[in-house]
């Protein structure tokens, strides 16, 4: 039966939702269920969810995604992108979301694990644990010397989306615009090419979402 097919989620924003929640107990919200995240542990247990890419995105201050979503329901739209975010700010936000995730893992009684390679993914599945691949959406948290890349790698980072539409030191993305062409602006910078090489060396996945054609 189709209900018995396990599935692995390609992208969710649970950690961002939890970060900006006004709840006093974010870990409890995830483990016991809530009405503001797309998924939580109770929903996971019902849905035959075996794991997924848990994304970390660093938004601009006062960024309102509800406005973006409503405008994108139109037949055509062109939205101005936020200004670039500083590396320090992005890293602080990233570490805050990783802290939330680590607290969830600790209090899940080892039912949720961060997986750093294929063997760990397979072991999690075989032992009926929820497998998380840590992903960042937009590489703003990474400095040009890649010191923070090493730090994040040690914490479990294994997937990187180089940009989230707005430009950063690694490349340029496509704006929220429709209809239009993806052939907009420059592609990867020299720092971006170096980051791809670093990721290849460390076996970090590269997510092409939001990149422009070049």
């Amino acid at each position: 039966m189709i209900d018995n097919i396990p599935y692995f989620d390609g992208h969710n924003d649970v950690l961002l939702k939890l970060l900006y929640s006004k709840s006093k107990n974010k870990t409890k919200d995830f483990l016991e269920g809530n009405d503001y995240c797309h998924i939580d542990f109770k929903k996971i247990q019902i849905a035959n969810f075996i794991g997924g890419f848990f994304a970390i995105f660093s938004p601009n201050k006062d960024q309102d995604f509800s406005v973006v979503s409503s405008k994108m329901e139109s037949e055509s739209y062109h939205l101005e992108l936020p200004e670039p975010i500083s590396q320090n700010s992005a890293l602080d936000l990233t570490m805050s979301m990783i802290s939330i995730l680590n607290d969830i893992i600790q209090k899940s009684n080892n039912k949720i694990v961060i997986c750093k390679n294929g063997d760990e993914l397979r072991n999690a599945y075989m032992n009926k644990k929820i497998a998380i691949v840590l992903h960042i959406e937009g590489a703003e948290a990474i400095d040009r010397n890649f010191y923070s890349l090493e730090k994040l790698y040690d914490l479990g980072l294994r997937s990187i989306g180089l940009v989230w539409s707005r430009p950063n030191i690694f490349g340029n993305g496509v704006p929220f615009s429709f209809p239009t062409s993806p052939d907009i602006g420059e592609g990867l910078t020299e720092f971006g090419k170096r980051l791809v090489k670093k990721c290849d060396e460390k076996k970090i996945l590269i997510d092409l979402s939001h990149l422009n054609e070049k």
Side-chain angles (χ1 to χ4, degrees):
M1 292 178 61
I2 194 168
D3 290 343
N4 294 326
I5 297 175
Y7 68 91
F8 195 89
D9 179 29
H11 183 106
N12 68 66
D13 293 308
V14 166
L15 298 177
L16 182 66
K17 295 273 190 180
L18 290 170
L19 178 69
Y20 282 99
S21 163
K22 295 180 180 179
S23 171
K24 295 180 180 179
N25 198 329
K26 303 172 191 295
T27 298
K28 182 178 179 182
D29 283 357
F30 182 81
L31 293 175
E32 298 186 7
N34 65 78
D35 60 1
Y36 61 87
C37 289
H38 296 145
I39 59 173
D40 54 51
F41 193 55
K42 281 195 168 182
K43 296 183 184 78
I44 281 172
Q45 291 175 305
I46 294 170
N48 212 20
F49 178 107
I50 63 169
F53 287 76
F54 277 55
I56 291 177
F57 169 69
S58 301
N60 293 71
K61 188 177 181 180
D62 301 324
Q63 191 166 340
D64 189 346
F65 287 101
S66 63
V67 173
V68 173
S69 297
S70 63
K71 289 184 177 180
M72 289 176 68
E73 293 177 0
S74 304
E75 291 185 3
S76 63
Y77 53 84
H78 180 78
L79 308 180
E80 294 298 323
L81 291 174
E83 292 296 315
I85 188 172
S86 73
Q87 189 264 328
N88 286 337
S89 177
L91 184 59
D92 286 345
L93 289 166
T94 298
M95 295 304 296
S96 294
M97 282 179 264
I98 291 175
S99 178
I100 291 171
L101 177 59
N102 284 335
D103 193 52
I104 287 171
I105 289 170
Q106 182 180 0
K107 293 176 180 173
S108 74
N109 295 320
N110 204 33
K111 295 177 182 176
I112 302 171
V113 293
I114 293 177
C115 294
K116 300 178 181 179
N117 55 54
D119 287 340
E120 291 183 5
L121 280 169
R122 283 185 286 271
N123 289 337
Y125 176 63
M126 295 301 295
N127 291 290
K128 301 186 185 305
K129 296 179 181 181
I130 303 303
I132 290 177
V133 176
L134 196 58
H135 167 80
I136 56 173
E137 182 179 1
E140 283 88 348
I142 299 172
D143 62 280
R144 63 184 62 205
N145 294 312
F146 306 113
Y147 298 135
S148 57
L149 176 64
E150 297 293 337
K151 179 179 182 178
L152 293 170
Y153 180 84
D154 289 342
L155 292 170
L157 178 67
R158 291 298 184 273
S159 177
I160 295 176
L162 301 178
V163 299
W164 171 82
S165 290
R166 67 190 168 200
N168 60 34
I169 64 171
F170 302 110
N172 296 275
V174 289
F176 290 92
S177 184
F178 181 81
T180 190
S181 164
D183 188 12
I184 298 171
E186 296 301 316
L188 294 181
T189 65
E190 287 305 311
F191 285 119
K193 293 172 185 177
R194 287 173 58 195
L195 176 56
V196 170
K197 185 176 180 180
K198 286 278 187 183
C199 289
D200 283 346
E201 292 170 355
K202 301 178 80 64
K203 298 183 179 179
I204 297 174
L205 297 171
I206 299 292
D207 185 336
L208 305 184
S209 301
H210 294 277
L211 287 172
N212 64 22
E213 189 170 310
K214 284 188 181 179

